[in-house]
Amino acid sequence: MEVLIAEIPESVKLPFLLLSKLGLFSTNKFKAYIPMSILALIVANLVLIAMLQFLNVKRDISDIVRNLEDILAFSMAMVRMMIVTYRNEDFTRLFQTAKLFWDPSKCNQQTKMKLMAIRRFTSQLQRLLFLAVLICVLLVIIFPLLQNTIPTGIWTMKGHEMLYRFVLIEQIIVIPFCAFFVCSLDCMYLGFCAEIVIQFRILSQTLQKLKVEGNAVNQVETNQLQEMKCCVRHHRIILRFVKEFREAFSLVLLIEFVIDGPLICAELLAAFESRSYQNQMRHVIIFSFVTLQLAFFCIPANYITNEAMAVSDAVYFSNWYFQHVPALKVPLLLIIQSSQNEITIKAGDLVIINAGTIVN
């Protein structure tokens, strides 16, 4: 574990460490499966109780949406736990493949500084997200306790005081774990997207800056061929990583899309239909938060698609393209052909995750 931590990129190290504290990515099967399975069962219990409360919910749109928030939020956390726990090896494989990535020091100083700035910005964004989640968790837990209500959802089962206390304690215990699990997984997704973008930019920079070196013609051809083969090999590694990345996060993205879509519509409807200004403000805030969460997945995926297509342009406008070296023809065509195939991040092979998804 210590060797793996030392070798993984900085942009995914923080979420990796936090998720490993919950037992994930462990070689010990008991530690990897049991804690998350128990947490998922507790969350499933809260979802079931929230569903039963619909029997007594009045026709007030705000109460209906508040109960729906409880069901969808805990359902998303529960399904994510199940996916990540039982596809633990797929996520571990991502870290193993990431060790084969090129370091930004391969580029010139200007490009290196830009790539390192991407990593720093990603790390700062992750820390900002963790801080925001910490503040939200404290507010969600403290304010309802002061108002003598449960932290999330509503309570309609009158006369069941024991069940009410049980749900109250259960939510107070579970909410922090769910919040930091979901936040860590989101940050891991962001970190991997940042690393993919960085690797595509390094490859593009390398292809553009390949120069003729050597005194003899044979030496020039040999140097170019070796560098080109290195670029082709690294491009294949990136494409393999993207394929593994899509497989690992496919169901996570599908659950995110399926839950966020209806919740966004419900919050917007409740904001317009509620008669209380306090409720309207609350639904607008949650609407904005859920929309930003969906954008958190869509915008990085859009960057991956753009950077993957930019490799083809880098090949075409490279310095050595017009050096008519016959041995370069095959690797040149390979990297152009593979880079022109558009890379898209899909949710369950059904929905394309990009900037257009947010607008839709």
Side-chain angles (χ1 to χ4, degrees):
M1 180 66 73
E2 292 180 358
V3 175
L4 184 60
I5 292 174
E7 294 178 341
I8 63 176
E10 288 292 333
S11 53
V12 293
K13 184 172 290 187
L14 178 61
F16 173 85
L17 290 173
L18 291 175
L19 288 174
S20 62
K21 296 296 182 181
L22 298 176
L24 297 172
F25 316 123
S26 174
T27 55
N28 187 328
K29 295 297 183 181
F30 180 85
K31 185 178 179 181
Y33 288 91
I34 301 302
M36 295 303 296
S37 299
I38 294 174
L39 187 59
L41 290 174
I42 296 174
V43 174
N45 177 60
L46 290 173
V47 172
L48 179 61
I49 294 175
M51 288 181 175
L52 292 175
Q53 291 196 100
F54 266 122
L55 298 174
N56 302 319
V57 173
K58 299 178 182 179
R59 292 186 177 181
D60 186 355
I61 185 66
S62 183
D63 288 345
I64 294 174
V65 172
R66 284 184 62 185
N67 200 51
L68 190 64
E69 290 169 3
D70 194 33
I71 295 172
L72 294 181
F74 282 123
S75 295
M76 181 182 67
M78 177 188 66
V79 177
R80 277 196 185 191
M81 290 172 190
M82 294 171 62
I83 293 172
V84 177
T85 300
Y86 294 101
R87 301 192 68 175
N88 191 26
E89 295 179 358
D90 294 342
F91 288 90
T92 305
R93 194 180 303 117
L94 290 176
F95 293 105
Q96 297 292 343
T97 307
K99 293 190 294 184
L100 304 176
F101 282 167
W102 281 348
D103 190 80
S105 59
K106 185 178 180 66
C107 302
N108 58 39
Q109 188 63 26
Q110 184 179 3
T111 305
K112 178 183 175 181
M113 295 300 295
K114 291 181 179 179
L115 298 180
M116 296 305 294
I118 293 176
R119 282 185 173 174
R120 284 196 300 270
F121 176 75
T122 302
S123 298
Q124 291 172 358
L125 193 60
Q126 289 171 340
R127 288 181 172 85
L128 180 63
L129 183 60
F130 277 117
L131 179 61
V133 168
L134 176 61
I135 295 173
C136 289
V137 167
L138 292 176
L139 293 177
V140 166
I141 292 177
I142 293 175
F143 281 159
L145 291 178
L146 297 176
Q147 298 174 358
N148 197 26
T149 60
I150 56 176
T152 62
I154 59 174
W155 185 256
T156 62
M157 298 181 183
K158 306 299 181 183
H160 295 82
E161 295 299 326
M162 291 292 293
L163 183 60
Y164 171 80
R165 293 191 184 93
F166 174 75
V167 172
L168 178 64
I169 296 172
E170 203 171 26
Q171 286 192 1
I172 292 174
I173 295 174
V174 166
I175 286 175
F177 287 101
C178 291
F180 283 101
F181 169 78
V182 172
C183 181
S184 299
L185 192 60
D186 290 352
C187 288
M188 181 178 291
Y189 173 86
L190 178 63
F192 278 133
C193 287
E195 286 303 316
I196 294 171
V197 169
I198 288 172
Q199 294 305 309
F200 274 127
R201 289 195 179 184
I202 294 175
L203 182 61
S204 298
Q205 178 72 16
T206 304
L207 291 171
Q208 288 176 353
K209 298 301 180 182
L210 280 178
K211 297 183 181 296
V212 177
E213 296 178 354
N215 298 322
V217 176
N218 291 336
Q219 185 180 357
V220 170
E221 183 175 344
T222 301
N223 291 340
Q224 286 190 331
L225 183 59
Q226 291 299 324
E227 290 177 338
M228 188 59 198
K229 285 183 177 180
C230 186
C231 291
V232 172
R233 192 181 307 114
H234 188 64
H235 192 231
R236 288 177 176 173
I237 290 173
I238 300 174
L239 295 181
R240 188 184 79 188
F241 181 84
V242 172
K243 181 180 178 181
E244 295 173 352
F245 173 77
R246 287 187 296 191
E247 291 175 353
F249 282 94
S250 178
L251 291 178
V252 174
L253 293 174
L254 181 62
I255 295 301
E256 188 73 28
F257 181 82
V258 169
I259 289 179
D260 283 354
L263 188 56
I264 286 172
C265 297
E267 296 292 348
L268 197 59
L269 176 64
F272 283 110
E273 295 294 330
S274 296
R275 298 179 180 179
S276 169
Y277 289 111
Q278 184 179 359
N279 287 337
Q280 288 178 345
M281 183 61 66
R282 179 183 180 278
H283 292 302
V284 168
I285 292 174
I286 296 179
F287 163 79
S288 303
F289 176 80
V290 178
T291 305
L292 287 174
Q293 187 179 19
L294 186 60
F296 190 84
F297 287 93
C298 294
I299 294 176
N302 205 68
Y303 272 104
I304 291 176
T305 301
N306 295 338
E307 292 297 331
M309 295 297 292
V311 174
S312 179
D313 295 334
V315 174
Y316 187 78
F317 293 105
S318 60
N319 293 336
W320 50 266
Y321 180 79
F322 296 103
Q323 302 293 328
H324 301 289
V325 182
L328 292 176
K329 183 176 181 180
V330 173
L332 173 65
L333 293 176
L334 282 174
I335 199 167
I336 289 179
Q337 183 179 11
S338 58
S339 62
Q340 285 181 337
N341 296 326
E342 184 180 12
I343 293 178
T344 56
I345 307 299
K346 290 187 176 182
D349 291 329
L350 298 174
V351 182
I352 297 177
I353 302 298
N354 55 23
T357 306
I358 306 171
V359 180
N360 294 334

